[in-house]
Amino acid sequence: MALGWLELQRRSHVEFGTRIEAVTDWSAPTPDTDWDTEQLVRHVVTEQQWVLPLVGGLTVAKAQAHVHPLGDDLVEEWRRYSGLATAAWAVAPPATMVHLSYGTVPLERYLREQVFDVTVHSWDLARAAGLDESLDPELVAAVWEEAEAQREILSASGLFAPPVSVPDDAPLQVRLLAVTGRDARSAPTAGPTGG
């Protein structure tokens, strides 16, 4: 994969996995105002359930049968579905076309979307749980390139809060999160800021 996206996927899962292991308050608010910590984690874990059937060639309608309600032990659920997703990415032929809700896309596009999602939510989880918010610099750099290339699409998607204005010389991680409506400069106690 160009830019080592399989390795970036693995690193994004390490970032998220390290933080989920340290969560103590599952009802804590997150920077994503739609979700508390438990809801955010359930979202990320559920997204991993989709990977195996989708990269295996199933349509969204058929893949739905492989997505099941999660149990109460979200740490264990993460370990299970993170492992299955990572294994699926590793063996999927690069020429695979993946059926998503908005159309059929090349495998690498779906992979990049997944890495973007897990990376940003790793920061959300760190902020919510009061953990180290520093993300892998190479991971941040790769996801930033994705964000920059799709800035207008992201802004118009309605999936994120409006972008936060930050200086051009702000740290790359701060600029990346700002594109998704998150202000990483604010103190962790300042409350939710993103969408």
Side-chain angles (χ1 to χ4, degrees), residues 6 9 84-93:
L6 288 175
Q9 183 273 340
L84 289 171
T86 300
W89 288 119
V91 300

Side-chain angles (χ1 to χ4, degrees), residues 104-124:
T104 302
V105 302
L107 179 75
E108 186 173 317
R109 177 168 171 184
Y110 180 39
L111 176 56
R112 289 178 183 227
E113 289 177 6
Q114 283 290 306
V115 171
F116 187 112
D117 191 60
V118 175
T119 300
V120 171
H121 288 318
S122 292
W123 181 84
D124 287 337

